[in-house]
Every structure is written in structure tokens, then in C-alpha cells.
Amino acid sequence: PAMKNPVTTHRSNHDTRAYVLIDTEPDMTARVVRSLRRRDDVLMADAVNGPHGVIAVVEGRNASEVATTILMNIRKLNGVRDFTVYTAVPLVAVPAPVSD
């Protein structure tokens, strides 16, 4: 059987993970975090200092499932203004450094 290539050392039943940086409406950050933490497909959600109010980690069986979670659920949360998504890639997909 083919060996799975996990995104990180985190043990999970999911093959795809995305880091979602979320811009929230003023005074809505805590509400967005609470809503995200109630979701089974959100591994974690925290309020943060910086240009984004919230960082969340979303997991799914594949990229399509993760995209659906983000576009159909997170984007529609009351208080979400905008977001940026970084999808994790398996280490085997990361090119090796070029040596001299």
C-alpha cells in the first residue's frame, strides 16, 4: 500500500489542512472565534494581534472539502469581512533546496 504523506506531524484523519487568516468587522472577533470553535472541521481558531483578527486551521478529507468549508461556512459567518487562505502541502511536494 502507498504510504500517506501527512501535511505536518499532527495526527489527524484528514488529508488536507488550510490556515485561514480572517479579517473581522469591528467588535466581532470574539463572536467569530466562538463560532469557528464550535465547528468539527475547524481544528483551532484564535484571536490574534496583527493585520488579521483571527487565524483558524481547517481540515478535510481533500482540497474540495476544505474549500467548501471555507466558502460555504466561514465566509458566511456574521462578522467575517475578508479572509486569506494558505493550504498546507505535503513535505514531498516541497522542492529540495538547490545546492552549489
Side-chain angles (χ1 to χ4, degrees):
M3 189 168 103
K4 286 193 152 211
N5 296 310
V7 175
T8 67
T9 58
H10 171 76
R11 304 252 185 247
S12 172
N13 293 329
H14 299 99
D15 293 330
T16 303
R17 179 178 301 146
Y19 299 85
V20 187
L21 287 62
I22 303 168
D23 300 327
T24 58
E25 296 292 339
D27 300 323
M28 295 295 286
T29 300
R31 182 177 184 164
V32 169
V33 169
R34 283 192 300 273
S35 295
L36 290 168
R37 288 180 176 175
R38 285 192 284 267
R39 298 193 53 83
D40 290 336
D41 46 10
V42 175
L43 181 64
M44 62 72 87
D46 286 315
V48 295
N49 290 324
H52 307 283
V54 177
I55 294 179
V57 178
V58 176
E59 290 189 326
R61 291 181 301 243
N62 53 51
S64 178
E65 187 174 273
V66 169
T68 298
T69 295
I70 294 166
L71 296 174
M72 301 305 291
N73 299 311
I74 294 176
R75 179 176 73 171
K76 294 181 179 182
L77 282 176
N78 189 22
V80 171
R81 183 186 319 188
D82 197 10
F83 58 89
T84 302
V85 178
Y86 294 93
T87 303
V89 295
L91 291 177
V92 295
V94 177
V98 178
S99 61
D100 294 330

